[in-house]
Amino acid sequence: MDKKDGIYYIVMPIHYRELCIGYCVVGNDHEKVEQRFIQHLVLNINNALGEIREYEIMQTMFANINEKWMYDELTGIYNRTGLKKMEKAFLKYVRKNHRKIVVYFIDLDGLKRINDQFGHEEGDCYIKSMAGILTQIDHQGDVISRFGGDEYVILSSYETEDEIDTYLQLIEREIQKYNESGAKHKLSASIGYQTQGEEQSVNFKEMIEEADKKMYICPCGFREKADHFHEKR
């Protein structure tokens, strides 16, 4: 290149398998070449790149597995496993913001009838419609999950009982809006909730079970508060 005798360049690819990242170019360095210093250096760089690449691939795979493991495939919200996994983060949020815990349990009405009369594809749409409403009115810190086939559990928080009433009214309003929008199947759900006592240690499993027992019927909306609570049939 310099048109001088004895001038030479060694070009070595820096790569991982078939993926070439760049090149290492050494010019006229007899000592380093003879001692194979450059060759060993580039080889170590290649090995390091290989380990980094494999680590990145593994991280991507784990992220994909976690997503499939934690999220409900039909609705895109957390499944029961995801709900369990998010309990610690939710509890940390509640304590940091000095709020109290409330667990909502929601059970769709009429899903079996829709599945039997119109097929499971229509039933899936019915399930997704409720999930869409719940995510639409989600507020900060909530964990929304599909707990079972037609059941949802929400980990939420509040400062006063009025916040709970407001949340239930929001669900009622969104269900009514959905039903008035020309929906093929009118949404209806039974809903119950359980709050944490002042001195009570947090046991989400027990709170979910209690919320399930306290569900009240709300065909296309909610009844008056006096009719809210009854034992689930």
Side-chain angles (χ1 to χ4, degrees), residues 30-120:
H30 294 278
E31 183 178 352
K32 288 186 174 60
V33 172
E34 289 173 357
Q35 295 177 356
R36 301 183 65 82
F37 172 81
I38 298 301
Q39 290 92 329
H40 287 300
L41 174 63
V42 173
L43 180 61
N44 287 333
I45 292 174
N46 290 341
N47 290 337
L49 286 172
E51 291 179 1
I52 292 171
R53 178 66 175 168
E54 289 176 0
Y55 174 79
E56 290 176 345
I57 291 173
M58 290 296 293
Q59 290 297 105
T60 301
M61 289 175 60
F62 284 137
N64 291 336
I65 291 171
N66 278 336
E67 184 171 347
K68 293 181 182 299
W69 176 49
M70 291 179 57
Y71 292 91
D72 176 55
E73 186 176 357
L74 178 63
T75 61
I77 61 179
Y78 289 115
N79 56 24
R80 188 180 296 209
T81 303
L83 175 71
K84 182 68 177 177
K85 190 174 179 64
M86 292 300 297
E87 285 179 358
K88 288 184 179 180
F90 170 74
L91 197 55
K92 182 178 179 181
Y93 167 82
V94 169
R95 288 171 174 170
K96 180 181 178 181
N97 292 275
H98 309 290
R99 294 174 66 82
K100 292 176 283 189
I101 297 172
V102 56
V103 172
Y104 299 96
F105 194 102
I106 302 173
D107 191 346
L108 284 178
D109 300 325
L111 178 62
K112 185 179 185 305
R113 176 186 59 80
I114 293 174
N115 284 335
D116 292 344
Q117 294 183 11
F118 302 97
H120 287 274

Side-chain angles (χ1 to χ4, degrees), residues 4-230:
K4 296 179 182 179
D5 293 337
I7 298 297
Y8 61 90
Y9 294 86
I10 296 179
V11 181
M12 303 182 68
I14 298 175
H15 66 95
Y16 173 68
R17 296 181 180 174
E18 294 81 15
L19 180 63
C20 183
I21 308 298
Y23 298 89
C24 177
V25 182
V26 182
N28 204 33
D29 194 329
H30 294 278
E31 183 178 352
K32 288 186 174 60
V33 172
E34 289 173 357
Q35 295 177 356
R36 301 183 65 82
F37 172 81
I38 298 301
Q39 290 92 329
H40 287 300
L41 174 63
V42 173
L43 180 61
N44 287 333
I45 292 174
N46 290 341
N47 290 337
L49 286 172
E51 291 179 1
I52 292 171
R53 178 66 175 168
E54 289 176 0
Y55 174 79
E56 290 176 345
I57 291 173
M58 290 296 293
Q59 290 297 105
T60 301
M61 289 175 60
F62 284 137
N64 291 336
I65 291 171
N66 278 336
E67 184 171 347
K68 293 181 182 299
W69 176 49
M70 291 179 57
Y71 292 91
D72 176 55
E73 186 176 357
L74 178 63
T75 61
I77 61 179
Y78 289 115
N79 56 24
R80 188 180 296 209
T81 303
L83 175 71
K84 182 68 177 177
K85 190 174 179 64
M86 292 300 297
E87 285 179 358
K88 288 184 179 180
F90 170 74
L91 197 55
K92 182 178 179 181
Y93 167 82
V94 169
R95 288 171 174 170
K96 180 181 178 181
N97 292 275
H98 309 290
R99 294 174 66 82
K100 292 176 283 189
I101 297 172
V102 56
V103 172
Y104 299 96
F105 194 102
I106 302 173
D107 191 346
L108 284 178
D109 300 325
L111 178 62
K112 185 179 185 305
R113 176 186 59 80
I114 293 174
N115 284 335
D116 292 344
Q117 294 183 11
F118 302 97
H120 287 274
E121 187 173 340
E122 292 285 328
D124 288 348
C125 292
Y126 192 67
I127 291 170
K128 288 192 288 186
S129 298
M130 191 66 204
I133 286 176
L134 296 177
T135 54
Q136 182 178 339
I137 61 176
D138 176 31
H139 56 81
Q140 189 174 4
D142 282 6
V143 179
I144 301 175
S145 69
R146 183 183 176 198
F147 198 68
D150 58 353
E151 299 171 337
Y152 303 85
V153 167
I154 303 173
L155 307 184
S156 189
S157 60
Y158 70 102
E159 289 184 359
T160 67
E161 292 283 342
D162 289 341
E163 287 187 49
I164 296 176
D165 290 338
T166 299
Y167 186 77
L168 296 174
Q169 290 167 11
L170 282 173
I171 297 177
E172 174 189 13
R173 189 154 55 242
E174 291 302 319
I175 287 177
Q176 290 175 343
K177 283 170 59 178
Y178 175 84
N179 290 338
E180 292 168 0
S181 68
K184 184 175 180 180
H185 304 291
K186 303 297 183 182
L187 272 179
S188 176
S190 303
I191 305 177
Y193 68 86
Q194 176 67 26
T195 58
Q196 178 194 4
E198 293 294 333
E199 303 299 327
Q200 179 185 358
S201 60
V202 181
N203 187 319
F204 288 108
K205 182 176 181 293
E206 290 182 359
M207 292 184 71
I208 291 170
E209 290 173 352
E210 288 301 313
D212 183 11
K213 294 176 183 177
K214 295 179 179 178
M215 285 195 302
Y216 53 85
I217 299 297
C218 58
C220 302
F222 299 116
R223 296 179 177 177
E224 294 301 319
K225 193 168 184 179
D227 298 327
H228 277 182
F229 294 100
H230 69 84

